[in-house]
């Protein structure tokens, strides 16, 4: 008699355990639950991408400062342009209209 009671109780406990597991899995696979999990994963991925972009930006600024020190770019006064920039500004010429050419400076012209 004791054996039968033991196996009946063990079978009932296994049935309750299996039913609980199946019900949990079914709830996890509902469309609402899947959508919520996908949204959470997307938010997590967005946070990781943001953190990555901030790390890249910080390291970029640090590396630019290192290169600026190595090349001596950071030593010039703040308002002064580099020599090559000044030369490029001074030597800039506007293209002139050439008689007889098919090119027009009118950007509104239909082609």
């Amino acid at each position: 008699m004791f054996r039968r009671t033991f196996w009946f109780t063990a079978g009932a406990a296994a049935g309750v355990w299996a039913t609980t597991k199946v019900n949990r899995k079914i709830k996890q696979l509902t469309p609402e639950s899947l959508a919520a999990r996908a949204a959470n994963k997307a938010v997590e991925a967005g946070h990781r991408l943001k953190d990555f972009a901030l790390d890249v930006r910080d390291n970029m600024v640090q590396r630019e400062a290192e290169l600026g020190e190595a090349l001596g770019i950071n030593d010039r006064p703040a308002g002064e342009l580099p020599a090559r920039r000044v030369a490029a500004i001074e030597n800039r010429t506007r293209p002139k209209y050439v008689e007889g050419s098919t090119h027009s400076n009118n950007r509104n012209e239909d082609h």
Side-chain angles (χ1 to χ4, degrees):
M1 179 78 178
F2 182 70
R3 271 183 164 175
R4 288 183 185 171
T5 306
F6 171 77
W7 287 113
F8 177 77
T9 306
V16 169
W17 177 79
T19 303
T20 305
K21 290 287 259 182
V22 168
N23 285 336
R24 281 186 194 159
K25 190 54 93 173
I26 288 173
K27 285 181 184 178
Q28 286 179 352
L29 296 177
T30 61
E32 295 84 16
S33 177
L34 292 175
R37 282 197 308 180
N40 288 339
K41 294 285 185 181
V43 169
E44 288 175 16
H47 288 305
R48 284 194 302 263
L49 282 173
K50 180 181 145 194
D51 291 342
F52 174 73
L54 291 174
D55 287 345
V56 167
R57 185 180 302 157
D58 291 342
N59 289 331
M60 181 179 65
V61 169
Q62 178 184 357
R63 184 64 179 148
E64 284 179 356
E66 290 172 1
L67 290 172
E69 278 184 33
L71 297 174
I73 295 173
N74 295 341
D75 297 338
R76 65 180 159 77
E80 184 181 325
L81 290 174
R84 64 183 175 164
R85 176 71 87 168
V86 172
I89 291 172
E90 289 173 355
N91 293 332
R92 183 176 10 169
T93 60
R94 297 183 67 88
K96 296 177 184 165
Y97 179 72
V98 178
E99 291 290 330
S101 74
T102 58
H103 176 72
S104 171
N105 289 328
N106 185 357
R107 293 182 176 223
N108 294 326
E109 182 179 278
D110 291 324
H111 296 281

Short mmCIF file of all heavy atoms in Angstrom, two decimals, residues 88-96:
data_model
loop_
_atom_site.label_atom_id
_atom_site.label_comp_id
_atom_site.label_asym_id
_atom_site.label_seq_id
_atom_site.Cartn_x
_atom_site.Cartn_y
_atom_site.Cartn_z
N ALA A 88 45.97 78.75 -49.50
CA ALA A 88 44.85 78.29 -50.31
C ALA A 88 43.78 79.36 -50.40
O ALA A 88 43.18 79.56 -51.46
CB ALA A 88 44.27 77.02 -49.70
N ILE A 89 43.55 80.10 -49.33
CA ILE A 89 42.54 81.16 -49.35
C ILE A 89 43.00 82.32 -50.24
O ILE A 89 42.23 82.87 -51.01
CB ILE A 89 42.24 81.65 -47.92
CG1 ILE A 89 41.51 80.55 -47.15
CG2 ILE A 89 41.41 82.92 -47.93
CD1 ILE A 89 41.34 80.83 -45.68
N GLU A 90 44.29 82.68 -50.16
CA GLU A 90 44.81 83.80 -50.95
C GLU A 90 44.86 83.48 -52.44
O GLU A 90 44.66 84.35 -53.27
CB GLU A 90 46.20 84.18 -50.45
CG GLU A 90 46.18 84.83 -49.09
CD GLU A 90 47.58 85.05 -48.55
OE1 GLU A 90 48.56 84.61 -49.19
OE2 GLU A 90 47.69 85.66 -47.48
N ASN A 91 45.12 82.25 -52.82
CA ASN A 91 45.29 81.87 -54.22
C ASN A 91 43.99 81.42 -54.87
O ASN A 91 44.02 80.98 -56.02
CB ASN A 91 46.33 80.75 -54.35
CG ASN A 91 47.70 81.24 -53.96
OD1 ASN A 91 48.01 82.41 -54.10
ND2 ASN A 91 48.52 80.33 -53.45
N ARG A 92 42.89 81.52 -54.19
CA ARG A 92 41.62 81.06 -54.74
C ARG A 92 41.17 82.02 -55.86
O ARG A 92 41.19 83.23 -55.69
CB ARG A 92 40.56 81.00 -53.65
CG ARG A 92 39.27 80.46 -54.13
CD ARG A 92 38.24 80.31 -53.05
NE ARG A 92 38.63 80.94 -51.80
CZ ARG A 92 37.82 81.11 -50.79
NH1 ARG A 92 36.58 80.72 -50.88
NH2 ARG A 92 38.22 81.67 -49.68
N THR A 93 40.81 81.46 -56.98
CA THR A 93 40.30 82.27 -58.08
C THR A 93 38.95 81.72 -58.48
O THR A 93 38.69 80.52 -58.36
CB THR A 93 41.24 82.23 -59.30
OG1 THR A 93 41.38 80.88 -59.72
CG2 THR A 93 42.60 82.81 -58.96
N ARG A 94 38.09 82.59 -58.95
CA ARG A 94 36.76 82.16 -59.39
C ARG A 94 36.85 81.73 -60.85
O ARG A 94 37.51 82.39 -61.65
CB ARG A 94 35.78 83.30 -59.25
CG ARG A 94 35.61 83.72 -57.79
CD ARG A 94 34.57 84.79 -57.68
NE ARG A 94 33.25 84.33 -58.00
CZ ARG A 94 32.39 83.79 -57.14
NH1 ARG A 94 32.75 83.63 -55.91
NH2 ARG A 94 31.19 83.41 -57.51
N PRO A 95 36.21 80.65 -61.23
CA PRO A 95 36.22 80.25 -62.64
C PRO A 95 35.49 81.30 -63.47
O PRO A 95 34.49 81.87 -63.04
CB PRO A 95 35.48 78.92 -62.65
CG PRO A 95 34.75 78.86 -61.36
CD PRO A 95 35.45 79.74 -60.40
N LYS A 96 36.02 81.58 -64.62
CA LYS A 96 35.44 82.60 -65.49
C LYS A 96 34.68 81.94 -66.62
O LYS A 96 35.02 80.85 -67.06
CB LYS A 96 36.55 83.49 -66.05
CG LYS A 96 37.27 84.25 -64.96
CD LYS A 96 38.39 85.06 -65.52
CE LYS A 96 39.13 85.72 -64.37
NZ LYS A 96 40.40 86.22 -64.75
#
